[in-house]
């Protein structure tokens, strides 16, 4: 059987056409995706940082101001004494509620 002779110019034109078609599809997808997204307005939320003393079950036992880390550590050690479950401290963020809102 004889092989069919293929023109290089025809193959190059075919490849270019396929490439253009692929880029057109990508642009169309990007346009559709950007119109679907709904813009959410960011609420101005203020957070305050505390030290929380937690039990092994992740139950918050006590809360201390952020500058009272030493007191929070003492409380965690005090609660861990006597063979009880270990307690630890961790940063806790809470929202601040302003009177005007």
């Amino acid at each position: 059987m004889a092989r069919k002779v293929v023109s290089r110019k025809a193959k190059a034109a075919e490849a270019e056409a396929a490439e253009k078609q692929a880029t057109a599809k990508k642009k169309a997808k990007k346009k559709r995706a950007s119109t679907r997204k709904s813009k959410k307005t960011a609420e101005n939320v203020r957070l305050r940082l505390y030290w929380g003393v937690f039990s092994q079950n992740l139950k918050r036992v006590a809360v201390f101001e952020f500058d009272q880390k030493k007191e929070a550590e003492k409380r965690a050690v005090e609660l861990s004494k006597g063979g009880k479950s270990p307690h630890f401290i961790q940063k806790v963020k809470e929202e601040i509620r302003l009177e005007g809102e």
Side-chain angles (χ1 to χ4, degrees), residues 43-101:
E43 294 181 22
N44 194 7
V45 178
R46 305 248 347 222
L47 298 175
R48 187 159 186 177
L49 199 57
Y50 297 98
W51 288 108
V53 180
F54 291 87
S55 68
Q56 191 174 14
N57 301 348
L58 300 178
K59 205 176 214 183
R60 188 165 67 184
V61 178
V63 178
F64 293 87
E65 292 292 328
F66 189 74
D67 60 347
Q68 297 176 339
K69 184 177 180 181
K70 289 181 183 178
E71 287 85 357
E73 288 174 342
K74 286 179 188 176
R75 180 76 171 144
V77 170
E78 179 184 305
L79 291 170
S80 298
K81 285 183 181 176
K84 295 182 181 178
S85 64
H87 288 71
F88 61 95
I89 65 168
Q90 183 174 329
K91 293 178 185 175
V92 177
K93 292 181 184 177
E94 290 186 3
E95 288 185 20
I96 298 175
R97 301 248 184 237
L98 299 176
E99 297 164 5
E101 292 180 9

